[in-house]
């Protein structure tokens, strides 16, 4: 590689701008582009701009696979920022491993995975699911009803949740298509009315999230007494379903727009200035944003896009993210992230009801037993 060149650093970007997952993946694209804009406005990396090569996989795993291969073999790109669903990550993973690329994955996921060709910047189960379990059992009750989209993340997350819910009871478990419509939730809503759980735990994703919460509201349920608790429902889905529909429901996340800090206020302001005053940030935006800064800092040190040079510099590095100081854990390539519990309000934001005192070390294999990091 000619390090004296002034040609841009080319990076791949794979987030769906169309299809049933675009409600959340388009926000990840925005977080990525905001970070790239900031880096370029500051002079780029070693005097060279970052140039995103963007494809729209259209919520189709076949296209994720196709475009990942195209980026690496035809566009000569080694670092890719992309993927929301675990199923899309799973189809991209063999390509980046075979061609020794680096996938930057900014989405919470089910854990129990390690690849030297992935930097995982979304929450692992010990950083969100464990905290949510403790909060729900302590505050709402022990009878749970699981609803998920029918693919790997919900099924694996529900398996993990069953193990974490020690002494609690799962009285129902149902799955719907990733393209589920409102009518597809009606039998499940009737079963919930019959079984009367204390909490509905949702791992529904994409447009189907909107249909689930709207079906819940149509049935006359009250989130004060029977909330939907989720790891996947962000400010983006709340906006899409309607603030009145989302009010009162619960999410565990590493980041909410309502985090009260000067750095987050500045981040939110920059995001809204770039994409519109009514566009909310969310945990997926924030992870997509800060992982680009991790990449750029490592690139500045190595002056090389080669994975074998870039990755060792990324591992162990720290960044002051909007959620607070985060780090890439050198033992597992996952980010050490904060743990928060939020309850949606009428303004479409989350009131933070519990937050860890610091970033929680990533433990994607749940090797450490015991309680989550202490909340403030």
């Amino acid at each position: 590689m000619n390090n004296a060149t002034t040609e841009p650093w080319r990076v791949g970007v794979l987030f769906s701008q169309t299809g049933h997952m675009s409600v959340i993946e388009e926000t990840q694209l925005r977080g990525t582009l905001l970070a790239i804009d900031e880096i370029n406005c500051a002079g780029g990396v070693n005097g060279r701009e970052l140039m995103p090569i963007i494809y729209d996989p259209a919520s189709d795993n076949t296209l994720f696979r196709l475009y990942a291969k195209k980026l690496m073999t035809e566009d000569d790109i080694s670092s890719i920022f992309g993927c929301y669903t675990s199923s899309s990550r799973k189809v991209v993973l063999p390509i980046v491993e075979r061609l020794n690329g680096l996938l930057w994955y900014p989405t919470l996921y089910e854990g129990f995975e390690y690849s030297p060709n992935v930097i995982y910047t979304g929450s692992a189960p010990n950083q969100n699911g464990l905290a949510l379990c403790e909060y729900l059992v302590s505050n709402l009750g022990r009878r749970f009803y699981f609803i998920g989209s029918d693919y790997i993340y919900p099924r694996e997350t529900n398996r993990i949740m069953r193990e974490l819910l020690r002494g609690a009871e799962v009285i129902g478990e149902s799955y719907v298509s990733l393209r589920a419509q409102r009518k597809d939730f009606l039998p499940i809503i009737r079963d919930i009315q019959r079984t009367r759980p204390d909490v509905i735990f949702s791992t529904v994703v994409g447009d189907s999230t909107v249909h689930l919460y709207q079906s819940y509201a149509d049935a006359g349920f009250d989130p004060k007494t029977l909330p939907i608790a989720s790891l996947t429902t962000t400010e983006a889905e709340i906006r899409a379903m309607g603030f009145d529909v989302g009010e009162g429901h619960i999410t565990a996340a590493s980041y909410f727009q309502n985090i009260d800090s000067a750095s987050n206020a500045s981040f939110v302001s920059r995001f809204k200035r770039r994409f519109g005053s009514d566009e909310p940030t969310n945990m997926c935006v924030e992870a997509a944003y800060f992982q680009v800064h991790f990449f750029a800092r490592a690139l500045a040190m190595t002056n090389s896009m080669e994975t074998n040079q870039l990755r060792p510099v990324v591992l162990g590095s720290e960044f002051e993210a909007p959620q607070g100081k985060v780090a890439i854990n050198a033992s597992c390539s996952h980010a050490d992230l904060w743990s928060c519990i939020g309850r949606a309000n009428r303004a479409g934001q989350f009131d933070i009801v519990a937050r860890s005192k610091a970033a929680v070390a990533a433990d994607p294999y749940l090797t450490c037993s015991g309680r989550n990091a202490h909340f403030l």
Side-chain angles (χ1 to χ4, degrees), residues 167-180:
E169 180 184 8
V170 179
I171 62 174
E173 184 170 352
S174 298
Y175 294 91
V176 295
S177 163
L178 278 164
R179 294 172 174 80

Side-chain angles (χ1 to χ4, degrees), residues 238 242-248 343-351:
I238 297 291
F243 296 166
D244 57 330
V245 173
E247 183 181 17
R343 198 155 197 165
N345 59 34
R346 182 54 70 105
Q349 294 299 313
F350 285 86
D351 295 324

Side-chain angles (χ1 to χ4, degrees), residues 2 4 9 11 13 33 44 60 101 122 127 147 149 160 165 168 176 189 197 226 248 279 305-306 322 326 360:
N2 179 10
W9 302 103
V11 296
V13 181
L33 294 179
D60 184 334
Q127 296 166 314
I147 307 176
S149 297
I160 293 166
L165 288 168
V176 295
I189 293 295
L226 176 60
E279 291 292 335
M305 292 286 289
E306 297 294 329
V326 298
V360 178

Side-chain angles (χ1 to χ4, degrees), residues 237-266:
E237 290 87 356
I238 297 291
R239 180 190 180 199
M241 71 182 66
F243 296 166
D244 57 330
V245 173
E247 183 181 17
H249 295 296
I250 298 167
T251 294
S254 56
Y255 168 88
F256 292 111
Q257 182 175 297
N258 260 2
I259 287 174
D260 184 15
S261 71
S263 61
N264 182 51
S266 176

Side-chain angles (χ1 to χ4, degrees), residues 37-191:
D37 285 352
E38 290 179 358
I39 292 160
N40 287 341
C41 286
V45 178
N46 296 342
R48 299 168 60 182
E49 287 193 343
L50 296 182
M51 176 185 289
I53 307 301
I54 304 170
Y55 293 112
D56 176 12
S59 309
D60 184 334
N61 288 341
T62 300
L63 291 179
F64 271 99
R65 182 190 298 111
L66 174 70
Y67 287 139
K69 185 175 181 181
K70 179 177 172 60
L71 283 166
M72 297 199 69
T73 60
E74 297 181 26
D75 298 319
D76 196 27
I77 280 169
S78 56
S79 271
I80 298 174
F81 303 101
C83 300
Y84 175 85
T85 65
S86 285
S87 53
S88 65
R89 185 190 74 255
K90 291 287 190 183
V91 301
V92 169
L93 184 58
I95 295 167
V96 295
E97 287 183 334
R98 185 171 66 251
L99 300 174
N100 197 29
L102 199 57
L103 174 65
W104 298 76
Y105 181 60
T107 310
L108 70 153
Y109 87 116
E110 66 280 358
F112 294 88
E113 181 180 288
Y114 169 81
S115 170
N117 298 92
V118 182
I119 302 296
Y120 304 82
T121 59
S123 295
N126 76 299
Q127 296 166 314
N128 58 7
L130 181 54
L132 185 62
C133 282
E134 293 176 355
Y135 179 83
L136 295 175
V137 170
S138 298
N139 293 277
L140 293 167
R142 294 179 171 272
R143 302 178 73 251
F144 284 70
Y145 196 106
F146 290 174
I147 307 176
S149 297
D150 195 5
Y151 75 107
I152 183 173
Y153 169 76
R155 288 190 176 273
E156 281 299 296
T157 297
N158 286 341
R159 177 188 65 79
I160 293 166
M161 288 293 279
R162 280 182 180 273
E163 296 178 5
L164 296 178
L165 288 168
R166 302 180 185 95
E169 180 184 8
V170 179
I171 62 174
E173 184 170 352
S174 298
Y175 294 91
V176 295
S177 163
L178 278 164
R179 294 172 174 80
Q181 301 298 307
R182 196 181 299 197
K183 63 181 175 60
D184 299 310
F185 290 101
L186 296 180
I188 299 172
I189 293 295
R190 287 195 291 269
D191 196 39

